[in-house]
């Protein structure tokens, strides 16, 4: 993330000042960035951003972040508590904020394969530490509502059918709507097959076993939440930098992992799928590239066959197609952006290569 031109403390608005006064920091500069404010303080960089989640999950995320640092994974965005020892602060309008320790660096570039390899290598190292945890308030997550994959996929397949029925009932249709109808049988077929394979798998048993062990996931692991560090500007330990420079996994740049607010007890293949799908879409489902990514992960943390199978099932389910249908159905239909048609065309064009990549996962 590259800071834009900042503004001095005197120019900050009243709401922001009200929030910053609640924290034990001495502010020298504030820079507005996507998602919040980067704060220069005498203790180092901080990020201040709005928070719309629950306090239970945030408390568990805080404990996980401390746990990761204790286990040697230094570069995570620790939560900064207020002067009153609260996890969050509010502005004069009641908007909730959180502050985190932050890092000098740039966002992982999805067009830079070395960045993406470093991101996958880092995920494996994170997962290795998060394989078995015993957090003081971890049971709070068990009390949160969960939607597991079979229920989620059934819900989404019903939504796809509803959208198809809606379009079919319209007397006048756009080219985009005709495109959805023409492609529906194919992509609904993939959804149905993914559900069938999931029901035939041992998903529920291995999920139960993982939760019993305390296996955790990041919950939102993608390139927006990975910072490639400019380590000359960030004081990392000498041991950490030496390990990063001499790592057998091709000497990837050190990265920081941020935004753990969606962490949960789950199968870690969920993080792999989330990262892999977004990255592979940007790289046209290149099989050699995808295989390299999985090889990098497995050099640190080999995947059991049961989780490889679940990865293939998740990739088979047409999530991008479902998202496009869902977006169309829940927004105004008087004017359909041309971008929707372009996205549909891209999904259809990439499907054959995507299926080829799924077949390479063995």
């Amino acid at each position: 993330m590259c800071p834009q031109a900042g503004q001095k403390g005197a120019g900050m608005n009243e709401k922001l000042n009200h929030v910053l006064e609640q924290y034990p920091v001495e502010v020298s500069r504030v820079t507005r960035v996507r998602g919040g404010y980067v704060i220069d303080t005498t203790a180092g960089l901080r990020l201040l951003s709005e928070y719309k989640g629950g306090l239970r999950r945030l408390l568990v995320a805080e404990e996980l972040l401390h746990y990761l640092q204790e286990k040697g994974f230094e570069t995570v965005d620790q939560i900064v508590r207020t002067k009153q020892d609260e996890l969050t602060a509010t502005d004069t309008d009641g908007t909730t904020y959180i502050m985190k320790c932050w890092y000098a660096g740039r966002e992982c570039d999805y067009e830079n394969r070395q960045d993406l390899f470093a991101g996958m290598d880092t995920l494996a190292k994170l997962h290795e530490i998060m394989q078995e945890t015993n957090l003081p308030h971890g049971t709070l997550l068990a009390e949160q509502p969960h939607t597991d994959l079979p229920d989620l996929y059934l819900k989404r397949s019903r939504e796809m059918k509803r959208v198809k029925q809606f379009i079919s009932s319209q007397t006048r249709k756009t080219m985009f709507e005709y495109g959805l109808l023409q492609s529906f049988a194919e992509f609904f077929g993939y959804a149905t097959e993914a559900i069938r394979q999931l029901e035939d798998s041992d998903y529920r048993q291995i999920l139960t076993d993982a939760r019993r062990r305390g296996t955790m996931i990041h919950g939102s692991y993608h390139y927006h939440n990975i910072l490639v560090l400019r380590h000359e500007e960030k004081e990392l330990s000498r041991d950490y930098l030496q390990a990063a420079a001499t790592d057998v996994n091709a000497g990837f740049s050190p990265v920081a992992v941020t935004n753990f607010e969606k962490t949960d007890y789950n199968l870690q293949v969920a993080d792999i799928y989330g990262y892999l799908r977004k990255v592979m879409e940007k790289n046209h489902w290149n099989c050699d590239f995808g295989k390299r990514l999985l090889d990098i992960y497995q050099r640190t943390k080999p995947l059991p066959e049961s989780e490889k199978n679940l990865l293939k099932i998740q990739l088979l389910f047409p999530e991008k197609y479902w998202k496009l249908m869902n977006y169309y159905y829940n927004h105004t239909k008087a004017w359909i952006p041309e971008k929707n048609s372009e996205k549909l065309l891209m999904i259809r064009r990439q499907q054959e290569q995507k299926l080829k990549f799924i077949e390479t996962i063995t």
Side-chain angles (χ1 to χ4, degrees):
M1 185 185 307
C2 297
Q4 302 167 359
Q7 52 185 352
K8 295 294 183 181
M12 289 185 286
N13 62 51
E14 182 180 342
K15 291 181 184 179
L16 186 57
N17 269 322
H18 179 76
V19 174
L20 290 176
E21 286 169 358
Q22 298 173 57
Y23 285 98
V25 295
E26 186 177 331
V27 178
S28 60
R29 185 179 176 86
V30 176
T31 304
R32 186 76 171 93
V33 295
R34 179 173 57 83
Y37 301 89
V38 170
I39 316 293
D40 277 286
T41 78
T42 53
L45 290 180
R46 302 290 183 262
L47 180 77
L48 185 73
S49 57
E50 285 190 33
Y51 180 67
K52 298 180 180 179
L55 286 179
R56 287 183 173 188
R57 191 173 293 277
L58 194 59
L59 177 60
V60 177
E62 180 189 47
E63 290 179 348
L64 175 62
L65 292 167
H66 286 314
Y67 175 80
L68 289 170
Q69 285 205 328
E70 288 170 3
K71 294 294 184 179
F73 197 100
E74 297 182 20
T75 48
V76 288
D77 54 346
Q78 296 289 345
I79 296 169
V80 179
R81 287 190 172 234
T82 68
K83 295 175 183 176
Q84 301 300 317
D85 199 34
E86 300 290 342
L87 285 167
T88 62
T90 55
D91 67 14
T92 53
D93 288 341
T95 302
T96 301
Y97 289 83
I98 57 173
M99 181 178 283
K100 307 171 187 176
C101 297
W102 208 240
Y103 298 91
R106 58 174 175 79
E107 189 174 284
C108 176
D109 182 357
Y110 64 78
E111 293 184 338
N112 183 324
R113 292 196 172 183
Q114 283 302 114
D115 280 10
L116 300 176
F117 293 151
M120 186 60 99
D121 177 58
T122 301
L123 179 61
K125 291 170 181 172
L126 266 181
H127 280 176
E128 193 171 39
I129 300 172
M130 294 160 62
Q131 181 70 20
E132 295 185 23
T133 63
N134 183 22
L135 304 181
H137 291 89
T139 54
L140 293 176
L141 287 184
E143 299 168 7
Q144 300 286 96
H146 288 84
T147 301
D148 292 335
L149 275 182
D151 296 333
L152 179 67
Y153 284 177
L154 283 169
K155 176 177 178 289
R156 289 179 174 178
S157 66
R158 287 193 294 266
E159 290 169 349
M160 290 169 67
K161 288 178 70 174
R162 183 171 67 241
V163 177
K164 189 251 187 182
Q165 291 166 356
F166 171 80
I167 296 174
S168 298
S169 69
Q170 303 303 300
T171 54
R172 299 179 63 184
K173 300 177 181 63
T174 64
M175 292 302 295
F176 172 72
E177 290 165 331
Y178 275 120
L180 284 178
L181 288 180
Q182 290 168 359
S183 56
F184 180 82
E186 177 186 358
F187 286 91
F188 189 76
Y190 298 134
T192 303
E193 178 60 18
I195 292 168
R196 185 194 67 77
Q197 290 185 24
L198 195 57
E199 289 172 344
D200 290 345
S201 74
D202 52 0
Y203 166 77
R204 294 195 185 279
Q205 183 58 55
I206 62 175
L207 176 61
T208 299
D209 292 343
R211 286 176 173 163
R212 187 181 298 119
R213 285 194 307 271
T215 299
M216 300 192 76
I217 64 171
H218 179 280
S220 186
Y221 194 86
H222 49 70
Y223 42 81
H224 296 306
N225 291 332
I226 302 168
L227 294 178
V228 179
L229 299 180
R230 300 197 301 271
H231 50 78
E232 70 277 5
E233 299 181 26
K234 171 69 185 75
E235 291 185 7
L236 300 176
S237 75
R238 185 176 300 174
D239 289 344
Y240 182 86
L241 289 175
Q242 184 177 2
T246 60
D247 195 302
V248 294
N249 293 336
F252 299 125
S253 298
V255 303
V257 183
T258 67
N259 299 326
F260 281 76
E261 290 82 66
K262 293 185 179 179
T263 188
D264 204 351
Y265 291 103
N266 206 335
L267 293 172
Q268 292 177 334
V269 71
D271 276 342
I272 301 172
Y273 163 71
Y275 183 69
L276 197 61
R277 183 183 66 80
K278 287 180 178 291
V279 165
M280 291 295 285
E281 284 171 359
K282 297 294 186 180
N283 286 272
H284 311 290
W285 294 96
N286 181 290
C287 290
D288 291 338
F289 172 60
K291 187 176 184 301
R292 175 79 192 280
L293 281 169
L294 287 175
D295 286 346
I296 287 169
Y297 181 93
Q298 293 192 94
R299 278 190 288 190
T300 297
K301 190 173 181 297
L303 279 173
E305 289 303 316
S306 58
E307 294 198 27
K308 286 182 185 177
N309 185 49
L310 288 176
L311 177 59
K312 294 168 73 171
I313 292 170
Q314 289 180 81
L315 289 169
L316 180 62
F317 189 89
E319 182 171 347
K320 192 78 171 179
Y321 186 84
W322 162 80
K323 276 187 175 180
L324 190 59
M325 293 190 85
N326 201 48
Y327 179 86
Y328 155 82
Y329 188 73
N330 289 297
H331 290 75
T332 178
K333 302 167 189 64
W335 177 75
I336 299 173
E338 181 63 28
K339 186 173 287 187
N340 283 10
S341 295
E342 293 172 3
K343 287 181 178 179
L344 178 59
L345 185 61
M346 182 194 72
I347 292 168
R348 296 177 72 176
R349 282 177 174 171
Q350 289 190 354
Q351 185 61 24
E352 182 179 353
Q353 192 66 17
K354 179 184 175 183
L355 294 174
K356 287 180 180 178
F357 171 67
I358 293 172
E359 291 175 2
T360 69
I361 302 173
T362 56

PDB file of all heavy atoms in Angstrom, residues 189-216:
ATOM      1  N   GLY A 189     -25.220 -27.400 -13.849  1.00  0.00           N
ATOM      2  CA  GLY A 189     -24.742 -28.782 -13.814  1.00  0.00           C
ATOM      3  C   GLY A 189     -23.489 -28.925 -12.968  1.00  0.00           C
ATOM      4  O   GLY A 189     -23.340 -29.887 -12.212  1.00  0.00           O
ATOM      5  N   TYR A 190     -22.580 -27.950 -13.080  1.00  0.00           N
ATOM      6  CA  TYR A 190     -21.379 -27.988 -12.245  1.00  0.00           C
ATOM      7  C   TYR A 190     -21.749 -27.860 -10.766  1.00  0.00           C
ATOM      8  O   TYR A 190     -21.169 -28.536  -9.907  1.00  0.00           O
ATOM      9  CB  TYR A 190     -20.407 -26.863 -12.623  1.00  0.00           C
ATOM     10  CG  TYR A 190     -19.895 -26.933 -14.041  1.00  0.00           C
ATOM     11  CD1 TYR A 190     -19.859 -25.799 -14.849  1.00  0.00           C
ATOM     12  CD2 TYR A 190     -19.444 -28.137 -14.578  1.00  0.00           C
ATOM     13  CE1 TYR A 190     -19.383 -25.848 -16.149  1.00  0.00           C
ATOM     14  CE2 TYR A 190     -18.961 -28.205 -15.879  1.00  0.00           C
ATOM     15  CZ  TYR A 190     -18.947 -27.061 -16.659  1.00  0.00           C
ATOM     16  OH  TYR A 190     -18.476 -27.123 -17.960  1.00  0.00           O
ATOM     17  N   ALA A 191     -22.716 -26.977 -10.465  1.00  0.00           N
ATOM     18  CA  ALA A 191     -23.155 -26.801  -9.081  1.00  0.00           C
ATOM     19  C   ALA A 191     -23.745 -28.094  -8.534  1.00  0.00           C
ATOM     20  O   ALA A 191     -23.435 -28.525  -7.412  1.00  0.00           O
ATOM     21  CB  ALA A 191     -24.178 -25.671  -8.993  1.00  0.00           C
ATOM     22  N   THR A 192     -24.589 -28.745  -9.333  1.00  0.00           N
ATOM     23  CA  THR A 192     -25.223 -29.994  -8.914  1.00  0.00           C
ATOM     24  C   THR A 192     -24.197 -31.088  -8.684  1.00  0.00           C
ATOM     25  O   THR A 192     -24.269 -31.846  -7.709  1.00  0.00           O
ATOM     26  CB  THR A 192     -26.248 -30.446  -9.973  1.00  0.00           C
ATOM     27  OG1 THR A 192     -27.220 -29.400 -10.170  1.00  0.00           O
ATOM     28  CG2 THR A 192     -26.954 -31.710  -9.545  1.00  0.00           C
ATOM     29  N   GLU A 193     -23.202 -31.167  -9.558  1.00  0.00           N
ATOM     30  CA  GLU A 193     -22.161 -32.182  -9.420  1.00  0.00           C
ATOM     31  C   GLU A 193     -21.297 -31.912  -8.189  1.00  0.00           C
ATOM     32  O   GLU A 193     -20.907 -32.854  -7.473  1.00  0.00           O
ATOM     33  CB  GLU A 193     -21.296 -32.215 -10.674  1.00  0.00           C
ATOM     34  CG  GLU A 193     -20.143 -33.207 -10.636  1.00  0.00           C
ATOM     35  CD  GLU A 193     -20.565 -34.652 -10.448  1.00  0.00           C
ATOM     36  OE1 GLU A 193     -21.757 -34.972 -10.680  1.00  0.00           O
ATOM     37  OE2 GLU A 193     -19.704 -35.474 -10.071  1.00  0.00           O
ATOM     38  N   ALA A 194     -20.992 -30.652  -7.915  1.00  0.00           N
ATOM     39  CA  ALA A 194     -20.205 -30.317  -6.724  1.00  0.00           C
ATOM     40  C   ALA A 194     -20.956 -30.720  -5.462  1.00  0.00           C
ATOM     41  O   ALA A 194     -20.361 -31.267  -4.520  1.00  0.00           O
ATOM     42  CB  ALA A 194     -19.890 -28.822  -6.707  1.00  0.00           C
ATOM     43  N   ILE A 195     -22.250 -30.477  -5.423  1.00  0.00           N
ATOM     44  CA  ILE A 195     -23.065 -30.854  -4.265  1.00  0.00           C
ATOM     45  C   ILE A 195     -23.078 -32.369  -4.099  1.00  0.00           C
ATOM     46  O   ILE A 195     -22.950 -32.897  -2.988  1.00  0.00           O
ATOM     47  CB  ILE A 195     -24.496 -30.288  -4.406  1.00  0.00           C
ATOM     48  CG1 ILE A 195     -24.463 -28.765  -4.296  1.00  0.00           C
ATOM     49  CG2 ILE A 195     -25.423 -30.889  -3.345  1.00  0.00           C
ATOM     50  CD1 ILE A 195     -25.761 -28.092  -4.695  1.00  0.00           C
ATOM     51  N   ARG A 196     -23.203 -33.089  -5.210  1.00  0.00           N
ATOM     52  CA  ARG A 196     -23.227 -34.553  -5.142  1.00  0.00           C
ATOM     53  C   ARG A 196     -21.903 -35.090  -4.598  1.00  0.00           C
ATOM     54  O   ARG A 196     -21.883 -35.958  -3.719  1.00  0.00           O
ATOM     55  CB  ARG A 196     -23.497 -35.150  -6.531  1.00  0.00           C
ATOM     56  CG  ARG A 196     -23.648 -36.674  -6.526  1.00  0.00           C
ATOM     57  CD  ARG A 196     -23.562 -37.262  -7.911  1.00  0.00           C
ATOM     58  NE  ARG A 196     -22.224 -37.114  -8.488  1.00  0.00           N
ATOM     59  CZ  ARG A 196     -21.182 -37.882  -8.144  1.00  0.00           C
ATOM     60  NH1 ARG A 196     -21.300 -38.830  -7.230  1.00  0.00           N
ATOM     61  NH2 ARG A 196     -20.011 -37.695  -8.727  1.00  0.00           N
ATOM     62  N   GLN A 197     -20.795 -34.565  -5.138  1.00  0.00           N
ATOM     63  CA  GLN A 197     -19.483 -35.024  -4.682  1.00  0.00           C
ATOM     64  C   GLN A 197     -19.251 -34.675  -3.209  1.00  0.00           C
ATOM     65  O   GLN A 197     -18.645 -35.458  -2.465  1.00  0.00           O
ATOM     66  CB  GLN A 197     -18.379 -34.400  -5.540  1.00  0.00           C
ATOM     67  CG  GLN A 197     -18.333 -34.942  -6.966  1.00  0.00           C
ATOM     68  CD  GLN A 197     -17.146 -34.382  -7.742  1.00  0.00           C
ATOM     69  OE1 GLN A 197     -16.140 -33.966  -7.174  1.00  0.00           O
ATOM     70  NE2 GLN A 197     -17.264 -34.373  -9.070  1.00  0.00           N
ATOM     71  N   LEU A 198     -19.749 -33.523  -2.799  1.00  0.00           N
ATOM     72  CA  LEU A 198     -19.575 -33.113  -1.406  1.00  0.00           C
ATOM     73  C   LEU A 198     -20.347 -34.043  -0.473  1.00  0.00           C
ATOM     74  O   LEU A 198     -19.849 -34.447   0.585  1.00  0.00           O
ATOM     75  CB  LEU A 198     -20.053 -31.665  -1.240  1.00  0.00           C
ATOM     76  CG  LEU A 198     -19.650 -30.922   0.031  1.00  0.00           C
ATOM     77  CD1 LEU A 198     -18.139 -30.900   0.198  1.00  0.00           C
ATOM     78  CD2 LEU A 198     -20.207 -29.503  -0.008  1.00  0.00           C
ATOM     79  N   GLU A 199     -21.551 -34.406  -0.882  1.00  0.00           N
ATOM     80  CA  GLU A 199     -22.358 -35.314  -0.064  1.00  0.00           C
ATOM     81  C   GLU A 199     -21.734 -36.702   0.018  1.00  0.00           C
ATOM     82  O   GLU A 199     -21.898 -37.404   1.018  1.00  0.00           O
ATOM     83  CB  GLU A 199     -23.772 -35.399  -0.630  1.00  0.00           C
ATOM     84  CG  GLU A 199     -24.584 -34.117  -0.420  1.00  0.00           C
ATOM     85  CD  GLU A 199     -25.922 -34.127  -1.145  1.00  0.00           C
ATOM     86  OE1 GLU A 199     -26.089 -34.988  -2.056  1.00  0.00           O
ATOM     87  OE2 GLU A 199     -26.781 -33.277  -0.832  1.00  0.00           O
ATOM     88  N   ASP A 200     -20.994 -37.102  -1.024  1.00  0.00           N
ATOM     89  CA  ASP A 200     -20.337 -38.419  -1.033  1.00  0.00           C
ATOM     90  C   ASP A 200     -18.981 -38.404  -0.335  1.00  0.00           C
ATOM     91  O   ASP A 200     -18.370 -39.456  -0.135  1.00  0.00           O
ATOM     92  CB  ASP A 200     -20.140 -38.904  -2.482  1.00  0.00           C
ATOM     93  CG  ASP A 200     -21.458 -39.276  -3.143  1.00  0.00           C
ATOM     94  OD1 ASP A 200     -22.461 -39.439  -2.421  1.00  0.00           O
ATOM     95  OD2 ASP A 200     -21.479 -39.370  -4.386  1.00  0.00           O
ATOM     96  N   SER A 201     -18.490 -37.225   0.037  1.00  0.00           N
ATOM     97  CA  SER A 201     -17.166 -37.107   0.648  1.00  0.00           C
ATOM     98  C   SER A 201     -17.269 -37.266   2.168  1.00  0.00           C
ATOM     99  O   SER A 201     -18.358 -37.361   2.734  1.00  0.00           O
ATOM    100  CB  SER A 201     -16.545 -35.751   0.314  1.00  0.00           C
ATOM    101  OG  SER A 201     -17.165 -34.710   1.069  1.00  0.00           O
ATOM    102  N   ASP A 202     -16.103 -37.238   2.829  1.00  0.00           N
ATOM    103  CA  ASP A 202     -16.074 -37.299   4.293  1.00  0.00           C
ATOM    104  C   ASP A 202     -15.907 -35.902   4.886  1.00  0.00           C
ATOM    105  O   ASP A 202     -15.294 -35.712   5.939  1.00  0.00           O
ATOM    106  CB  ASP A 202     -14.951 -38.219   4.776  1.00  0.00           C
ATOM    107  CG  ASP A 202     -13.592 -37.864   4.161  1.00  0.00           C
ATOM    108  OD1 ASP A 202     -13.549 -36.910   3.367  1.00  0.00           O
ATOM    109  OD2 ASP A 202     -12.614 -38.550   4.485  1.00  0.00           O
ATOM    110  N   TYR A 203     -16.494 -34.923   4.203  1.00  0.00           N
ATOM    111  CA  TYR A 203     -16.363 -33.522   4.598  1.00  0.00           C
ATOM    112  C   TYR A 203     -16.744 -33.288   6.058  1.00  0.00           C
ATOM    113  O   TYR A 203     -15.984 -32.686   6.822  1.00  0.00           O
ATOM    114  CB  TYR A 203     -17.232 -32.641   3.688  1.00  0.00           C
ATOM    115  CG  TYR A 203     -17.443 -31.235   4.192  1.00  0.00           C
ATOM    116  CD1 TYR A 203     -16.443 -30.275   4.072  1.00  0.00           C
ATOM    117  CD2 TYR A 203     -18.645 -30.863   4.806  1.00  0.00           C
ATOM    118  CE1 TYR A 203     -16.630 -28.982   4.544  1.00  0.00           C
ATOM    119  CE2 TYR A 203     -18.838 -29.573   5.281  1.00  0.00           C
ATOM    120  CZ  TYR A 203     -17.829 -28.641   5.150  1.00  0.00           C
ATOM    121  OH  TYR A 203     -18.008 -27.364   5.626  1.00  0.00           O
ATOM    122  N   ARG A 204     -17.908 -33.748   6.465  1.00  0.00           N
ATOM    123  CA  ARG A 204     -18.385 -33.440   7.818  1.00  0.00           C
ATOM    124  C   ARG A 204     -17.471 -34.043   8.881  1.00  0.00           C
ATOM    125  O   ARG A 204     -17.231 -33.420   9.920  1.00  0.00           O
ATOM    126  CB  ARG A 204     -19.827 -33.898   7.997  1.00  0.00           C
ATOM    127  CG  ARG A 204     -20.802 -33.114   7.122  1.00  0.00           C
ATOM    128  CD  ARG A 204     -22.247 -33.313   7.557  1.00  0.00           C
ATOM    129  NE  ARG A 204     -23.177 -32.658   6.652  1.00  0.00           N
ATOM    130  CZ  ARG A 204     -23.476 -31.367   6.678  1.00  0.00           C
ATOM    131  NH1 ARG A 204     -22.894 -30.588   7.567  1.00  0.00           N
ATOM    132  NH2 ARG A 204     -24.344 -30.860   5.820  1.00  0.00           N
ATOM    133  N   GLN A 205     -16.944 -35.240   8.624  1.00  0.00           N
ATOM    134  CA  GLN A 205     -16.084 -35.884   9.614  1.00  0.00           C
ATOM    135  C   GLN A 205     -14.747 -35.149   9.751  1.00  0.00           C
ATOM    136  O   GLN A 205     -14.290 -34.894  10.876  1.00  0.00           O
ATOM    137  CB  GLN A 205     -15.824 -37.346   9.239  1.00  0.00           C
ATOM    138  CG  GLN A 205     -14.993 -38.109  10.260  1.00  0.00           C
ATOM    139  CD  GLN A 205     -15.611 -38.112  11.638  1.00  0.00           C
ATOM    140  OE1 GLN A 205     -16.767 -38.504  11.803  1.00  0.00           O
ATOM    141  NE2 GLN A 205     -14.864 -37.664  12.642  1.00  0.00           N
ATOM    142  N   ILE A 206     -14.136 -34.785   8.619  1.00  0.00           N
ATOM    143  CA  ILE A 206     -12.839 -34.115   8.732  1.00  0.00           C
ATOM    144  C   ILE A 206     -13.002 -32.687   9.251  1.00  0.00           C
ATOM    145  O   ILE A 206     -12.098 -32.154   9.902  1.00  0.00           O
ATOM    146  CB  ILE A 206     -12.041 -34.157   7.410  1.00  0.00           C
ATOM    147  CG1 ILE A 206     -12.770 -33.429   6.276  1.00  0.00           C
ATOM    148  CG2 ILE A 206     -11.733 -35.572   6.997  1.00  0.00           C
ATOM    149  CD1 ILE A 206     -11.960 -33.348   4.997  1.00  0.00           C
ATOM    150  N   LEU A 207     -14.166 -32.072   8.997  1.00  0.00           N
ATOM    151  CA  LEU A 207     -14.441 -30.753   9.564  1.00  0.00           C
ATOM    152  C   LEU A 207     -14.576 -30.858  11.085  1.00  0.00           C
ATOM    153  O   LEU A 207     -14.020 -30.039  11.833  1.00  0.00           O
ATOM    154  CB  LEU A 207     -15.707 -30.157   8.957  1.00  0.00           C
ATOM    155  CG  LEU A 207     -16.160 -28.809   9.529  1.00  0.00           C
ATOM    156  CD1 LEU A 207     -15.097 -27.739   9.301  1.00  0.00           C
ATOM    157  CD2 LEU A 207     -17.499 -28.377   8.918  1.00  0.00           C
ATOM    158  N   THR A 208     -15.318 -31.861  11.540  1.00  0.00           N
ATOM    159  CA  THR A 208     -15.468 -32.086  12.985  1.00  0.00           C
ATOM    160  C   THR A 208     -14.119 -32.326  13.641  1.00  0.00           C
ATOM    161  O   THR A 208     -13.814 -31.773  14.705  1.00  0.00           O
ATOM    162  CB  THR A 208     -16.399 -33.289  13.242  1.00  0.00           C
ATOM    163  OG1 THR A 208     -17.689 -33.013  12.681  1.00  0.00           O
ATOM    164  CG2 THR A 208     -16.550 -33.557  14.733  1.00  0.00           C
ATOM    165  N   ASP A 209     -13.279 -33.147  13.006  1.00  0.00           N
ATOM    166  CA  ASP A 209     -11.947 -33.439  13.549  1.00  0.00           C
ATOM    167  C   ASP A 209     -11.092 -32.171  13.617  1.00  0.00           C
ATOM    168  O   ASP A 209     -10.367 -31.945  14.598  1.00  0.00           O
ATOM    169  CB  ASP A 209     -11.240 -34.488  12.691  1.00  0.00           C
ATOM    170  CG  ASP A 209     -11.902 -35.862  12.773  1.00  0.00           C
ATOM    171  OD1 ASP A 209     -12.695 -36.078  13.720  1.00  0.00           O
ATOM    172  OD2 ASP A 209     -11.641 -36.698  11.890  1.00  0.00           O
ATOM    173  N   ALA A 210     -11.174 -31.332  12.575  1.00  0.00           N
ATOM    174  CA  ALA A 210     -10.378 -30.103  12.535  1.00  0.00           C
ATOM    175  C   ALA A 210     -10.800 -29.149  13.644  1.00  0.00           C
ATOM    176  O   ALA A 210      -9.963 -28.549  14.333  1.00  0.00           O
ATOM    177  CB  ALA A 210     -10.508 -29.430  11.170  1.00  0.00           C
ATOM    178  N   ARG A 211     -12.085 -28.996  13.829  1.00  0.00           N
ATOM    179  CA  ARG A 211     -12.576 -28.094  14.882  1.00  0.00           C
ATOM    180  C   ARG A 211     -12.204 -28.619  16.266  1.00  0.00           C
ATOM    181  O   ARG A 211     -11.916 -27.836  17.170  1.00  0.00           O
ATOM    182  CB  ARG A 211     -14.081 -27.909  14.742  1.00  0.00           C
ATOM    183  CG  ARG A 211     -14.450 -27.008  13.560  1.00  0.00           C
ATOM    184  CD  ARG A 211     -15.937 -26.881  13.354  1.00  0.00           C
ATOM    185  NE  ARG A 211     -16.224 -25.875  12.321  1.00  0.00           N
ATOM    186  CZ  ARG A 211     -17.387 -25.766  11.687  1.00  0.00           C
ATOM    187  NH1 ARG A 211     -18.383 -26.604  11.965  1.00  0.00           N
ATOM    188  NH2 ARG A 211     -17.558 -24.832  10.783  1.00  0.00           N
ATOM    189  N   ARG A 212     -12.212 -29.927  16.430  1.00  0.00           N
ATOM    190  CA  ARG A 212     -11.831 -30.516  17.712  1.00  0.00           C
ATOM    191  C   ARG A 212     -10.359 -30.238  18.020  1.00  0.00           C
ATOM    192  O   ARG A 212      -9.989 -30.017  19.171  1.00  0.00           O
ATOM    193  CB  ARG A 212     -12.106 -32.024  17.700  1.00  0.00           C
ATOM    194  CG  ARG A 212     -11.900 -32.702  19.060  1.00  0.00           C
ATOM    195  CD  ARG A 212     -12.160 -34.197  18.984  1.00  0.00           C
ATOM    196  NE  ARG A 212     -13.537 -34.470  18.604  1.00  0.00           N
ATOM    197  CZ  ARG A 212     -13.901 -35.126  17.506  1.00  0.00           C
ATOM    198  NH1 ARG A 212     -12.970 -35.574  16.668  1.00  0.00           N
ATOM    199  NH2 ARG A 212     -15.166 -35.335  17.226  1.00  0.00           N
ATOM    200  N   ARG A 213      -9.518 -30.251  16.984  1.00  0.00           N
ATOM    201  CA  ARG A 213      -8.087 -29.980  17.166  1.00  0.00           C
ATOM    202  C   ARG A 213      -7.800 -28.502  17.406  1.00  0.00           C
ATOM    203  O   ARG A 213      -6.718 -28.130  17.854  1.00  0.00           O
ATOM    204  CB  ARG A 213      -7.290 -30.406  15.925  1.00  0.00           C
ATOM    205  CG  ARG A 213      -7.085 -31.888  15.750  1.00  0.00           C
ATOM    206  CD  ARG A 213      -6.002 -32.141  14.698  1.00  0.00           C
ATOM    207  NE  ARG A 213      -6.270 -31.462  13.450  1.00  0.00           N
ATOM    208  CZ  ARG A 213      -6.971 -31.977  12.444  1.00  0.00           C
ATOM    209  NH1 ARG A 213      -7.483 -33.197  12.557  1.00  0.00           N
ATOM    210  NH2 ARG A 213      -7.155 -31.291  11.332  1.00  0.00           N
ATOM    211  N   GLY A 214      -8.749 -27.650  17.068  1.00  0.00           N
ATOM    212  CA  GLY A 214      -8.504 -26.212  17.151  1.00  0.00           C
ATOM    213  C   GLY A 214      -7.850 -25.658  15.907  1.00  0.00           C
ATOM    214  O   GLY A 214      -7.120 -24.660  15.964  1.00  0.00           O
ATOM    215  N   THR A 215      -8.107 -26.285  14.759  1.00  0.00           N
ATOM    216  CA  THR A 215      -7.548 -25.812  13.488  1.00  0.00           C
ATOM    217  C   THR A 215      -8.256 -24.526  13.070  1.00  0.00           C
ATOM    218  O   THR A 215      -9.484 -24.475  13.007  1.00  0.00           O
ATOM    219  CB  THR A 215      -7.716 -26.872  12.395  1.00  0.00           C
ATOM    220  OG1 THR A 215      -7.020 -28.060  12.791  1.00  0.00           O
ATOM    221  CG2 THR A 215      -7.170 -26.382  11.063  1.00  0.00           C
ATOM    222  N   MET A 216      -7.459 -23.486  12.762  1.00  0.00           N
ATOM    223  CA  MET A 216      -8.044 -22.189  12.421  1.00  0.00           C
ATOM    224  C   MET A 216      -7.642 -21.754  11.020  1.00  0.00           C
ATOM    225  O   MET A 216      -6.639 -22.214  10.469  1.00  0.00           O
ATOM    226  CB  MET A 216      -7.608 -21.136  13.442  1.00  0.00           C
ATOM    227  CG  MET A 216      -8.042 -21.454  14.865  1.00  0.00           C
ATOM    228  SD  MET A 216      -7.829 -20.073  16.008  1.00  0.00           S
ATOM    229  CE  MET A 216      -9.227 -19.034  15.539  1.00  0.00           C
TER     230      MET A 216
END
